[in-house]
């Protein structure tokens, strides 16, 4: 059973070279608890933060290193350090805020920009209400973060928005994705790599991911 599920996800990954599905056991375990309707806001927030940190670990795999030397208590060691990449973390408000601290624990020097979008409940189209970005956004590797990729409208709007401001290198990190959302981002956003912990079944008539985890923002912040 488990083997079949994992291979189905890998199959999805193979269909889209820019989609990375994170099958790590720790991620899958934490995601299961996150999905549970009985998980309260405190634990939900902790899990979103931990998952974001684990995702950042994978999403930074291609960062460049430079050689250096370090004096250990025993001898000189030839080692490697990060080549000083400039990173911007861009949460899509509100729910993306829950992922910020987890990413910053691994990449403390990253700048944080904010894109405020909400999904109109009737049309399911994104409505923009706020934006504040680092001034040098065009020189930074960007991690857009949002727990949910449903229709893909919000993520695609955020990518377009950032491109209009000069952004070049863009990655999208989500916890749960619907196939519809992935298709939309792949279709409308060139050269954006999508990292997700899972690809769920479909969207329901209200645009919610099935099985998903419900409304991520409401579960993070205790609203309804
Ligand atoms: C949720 C979620 C995404 C968006 C995904 O935010 O956090 O931003 O919906 O849906 P889409 O892929 O169909 O655009 P929401 O609009 O509910 O706002 P919130 O974060 O303030 O709760
Ligand atoms: N936004 C959410 O928070 N959850 C969904 O399932 C879809 C959009």
């Amino acid at each position: 059973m488990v083997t079949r599920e994992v291979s189905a996800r890998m199959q999805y990954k193979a269909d889209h070279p820019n989609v990375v599905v994170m099958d790590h056991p720790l991620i899958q375990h934490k995601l299961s608890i996150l999905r549970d309707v009985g998980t309260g806001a405190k634990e939900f927030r902790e899990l979103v933060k931990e998952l974001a940190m684990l995702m950042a670990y994978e999403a930074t795999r291609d960062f460049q290193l430079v050689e250096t030397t370090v004096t250990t208590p025993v001898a000189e060691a030839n080692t490697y350090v990060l080549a000083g990449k400039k990173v911007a973390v861009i949460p899509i408000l509100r729910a993306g805020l829950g992922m910020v601290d987890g990413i910053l624990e691994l990449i403390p020097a990253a700048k944080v920009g904010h894109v405020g979008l909400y999904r109109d409940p009737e049309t399911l189209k994104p409505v923009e209400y706020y934006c504040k970005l680092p001034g040098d956004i065009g020189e930074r590797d960007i991690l857009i973060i949002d727990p949910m990729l449903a229709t893909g409208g919000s993520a695609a709007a955020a990518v377009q928005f950032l491109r209009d401001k000069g952004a070049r290198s863009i990655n999208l990190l989500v916890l749960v994705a619907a196939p519809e959302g992935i298709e939309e981002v792949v279709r409308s956003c060139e050269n954006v790599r999508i990292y997700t912990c899972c690809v769920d079944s479909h969207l329901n008539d209200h645009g919610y991911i099935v099985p998903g985890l419900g409304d991520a923002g409401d579960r993070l912040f205790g609203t309804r």
Side-chain angles (χ1 to χ4, degrees), residues 85 103 163 171:
K85 225 171 193 5
I103 308 261
R163 290 252 200 258
N171 300 283

Side-chain angles (χ1 to χ4, degrees), residues 95 119 148-151 203 206-210 212-218:
R119 202 170 67 148
M148 310 304 278
L149 179 64
T151 65
L203 298 177
H206 304 287
Y208 276 83
I209 300 174
V210 181
L213 49 73
D215 188 305
D218 284 353

Side-chain angles (χ1 to χ4, degrees), residues 149 151-156 159 172 180-194:
L149 179 64
T151 65
S154 302
V159 168
L172 172 67
E180 294 90 331
I182 290 181
E183 297 298 334
E184 173 59 15
V185 173
V186 167
R187 184 192 66 75
S188 64
C189 309
E190 227 175 287
N191 285 333
V192 171
R193 180 167 287 181
I194 304 170

Side-chain angles (χ1 to χ4, degrees), residues 9-194:
R9 288 199 297 272
M10 297 307 283
Q11 176 63 39
Y12 199 94
K13 180 168 152 183
D15 290 345
H16 295 275
N18 266 351
V19 179
V20 179
V21 183
M22 299 187 169
D23 278 335
H24 193 287
L26 283 178
I27 288 184
Q28 295 306 314
H29 179 84
K30 288 177 189 295
L31 183 62
S32 297
I33 307 170
L34 191 76
R35 287 184 189 275
D36 192 327
V37 67
T39 298
K42 176 178 181 290
E43 195 178 5
F44 192 91
R45 275 194 291 271
E46 289 166 357
L47 286 161
V48 168
K49 178 181 168 184
E50 289 166 4
L51 282 162
M53 196 188 311
L54 292 169
M55 293 191 83
Y57 180 74
E58 182 62 30
T60 52
R61 180 175 288 281
D62 295 336
F63 277 20
Q64 297 291 307
L65 294 171
V66 289
E67 283 187 72
T68 187
T69 53
V70 171
T71 307
T72 78
V74 179
E76 287 266 290
N78 295 323
T79 58
Y80 299 92
V81 292
L82 290 168
K85 225 171 193 5
K86 292 164 87 176
V87 176
V89 180
I90 313 284
I92 300 180
L93 306 181
R94 288 173 302 167
L97 288 174
M99 297 173 69
V100 173
D101 287 350
I103 308 261
L104 289 181
E105 283 199 15
L106 284 195
I107 318 173
K111 293 265 167 74
V112 182
H114 296 85
V115 174
L117 294 170
Y118 72 86
R119 202 170 67 148
D120 183 290
E122 300 300 323
T123 65
L124 300 184
K125 297 288 179 217
V127 181
E128 186 195 318
Y129 61 90
Y130 183 76
C131 176
K132 182 83 179 171
L133 301 176
D136 56 356
I137 195 73
E139 297 163 31
R140 292 183 176 268
D141 277 323
I142 294 170
L143 306 178
I144 299 177
I145 52 176
D146 192 330
M148 310 304 278
L149 179 64
T151 65
S154 302
V159 168
Q160 189 53 53
F161 189 79
L162 290 168
R163 290 252 200 258
D164 291 346
K165 303 281 181 194
R168 287 177 290 130
S169 166
I170 301 182
N171 300 283
L172 172 67
L173 276 60
V174 301
L175 304 185
V176 181
E180 294 90 331
I182 290 181
E183 297 298 334
E184 173 59 15
V185 173
V186 167
R187 184 192 66 75
S188 64
C189 309
E190 227 175 287
N191 285 333
V192 171
R193 180 167 287 181
I194 304 170

